[in-house]
Amino acid sequence: MSSEPVDLLVRGTLVNVNTGDLEDRAIAVDDGEIVALEERPADQEIETGYVTPGLIDAHMHVESSMVTLPRYGAAVVPKGVTSVIHDPHEIANVLGADGVRSLIADAAHTPLKARITVPSSVPASGLQDGGATVDAADVAALLEEEVVTALGEVMNVPGVLAGDEEVHAKIEAARERGLTVDGHAPRVTGSDLQEVARYLDNDHESISTAEALEKAEAGMRVYLREGSASKNLEDLVALVDEVDTRRLSLCTDDRDVVDLVERGGVDFVVKKAMDLGVDPVEAVQMATLNTAESYGLPFGRVEPGAPADLVLL
């Protein structure tokens, strides 16, 4: 161990999402990295109540808030939301792959760690006339972008079931790069669900515990959604007593600008989950480590070697 002081030492009760425990800890940070969970000499020391990883919204669309990505970050970062898994399919519906690239460029102008999923269903159906198309070649090119972490929600479930070549080419492009494939499977059950679960990793569209449980049993990660348009958390919260909560995440999907400013982002969902009886540490896990593991992110936990992405409460 070096005798040189670290940049920062934080003391408080650590919400340890790795173990599910509350622990009185010192957290040593140097050059933006957590280097130890123990006392170290430090240039700066902070005493706080609780320490959690920065919150991560598992699935959302910034465009639905009618603000730019930096403005979204300005609203949620002070509330402890330090990352979002953002599917920009709405800008892609209008501007195509160039719109996605412009949003990726905009992500450089906010401390919010936006991780982008490449829209998979543009247009959403053959009946839509939004102005753009994102084909399999576009998807493959966008998947190479550094901040891309997944293929965006695959809304064309009939195409998945029918073996549509274009849909499966997009899925295969993500698999070849070791990336997650986000799902969108409302009311898909039975044999259809078993087939869909071969290709899709998660789902955020459940509206009942029974539907969510069937998806969890098929091996999909289940995202409990509480947004401005779809409010499903209260109907799904019983799932925490049915399955291992480490397979569950919290998301907003869509957040209108009034709710965003007055109530926040996924931080609001964490608090509501607690109000509904979810163990507080498990609620934090569902908005940090669980989601980080869904997408192979290095943050979302407080441990040596992780980025110092901390919320002090």
Side-chain angles (χ1 to χ4, degrees), residues 58-129:
H59 175 76
M60 51 81 69
H61 312 279
V62 165
E63 305 99 302
S64 294
S65 299
M66 303 300 177
V67 295
T68 63
L69 191 48
R71 293 296 289 170
Y72 191 95
V76 299
V77 170
K79 297 178 182 294
V81 181
T82 61
S83 181
V84 294
I85 309 301
H86 171 33
D87 184 344
H89 73 68
E90 291 163 350
I91 195 170
N93 279 336
V94 179
L95 296 175
D98 287 343
V100 177
R101 291 190 178 93
S102 70
L103 189 139
I104 290 172
D106 212 25
H109 301 288
T110 171
L112 179 72
K113 291 187 287 296
R115 295 298 180 263
I116 309 301
T117 71
V118 174
S120 66
S121 304
V122 179
S125 80
L127 300 177
Q128 187 177 52
D129 183 16

Side-chain angles (χ1 to χ4, degrees), residues 53 59 79 95 154 166 173 178 199 201 203 237-238 254 259 281 293:
H59 175 76
K79 297 178 182 294
L95 296 175
V154 178
E166 182 80 2
Y199 303 102
D201 294 319
D203 178 79
V237 73
D254 293 320
D259 281 344
V281 177
E293 290 182 343

Side-chain angles (χ1 to χ4, degrees), residues 9 14 40 43 55 57 92 102 117 174 179 198 200 227 240 279 283:
L9 190 74
L14 172 62
R40 293 283 176 91
D43 294 332
L55 303 181
D57 193 332
S102 70
T117 71
L179 297 176
R198 293 176 59 194
L200 310 183
V240 302
D279 176 81

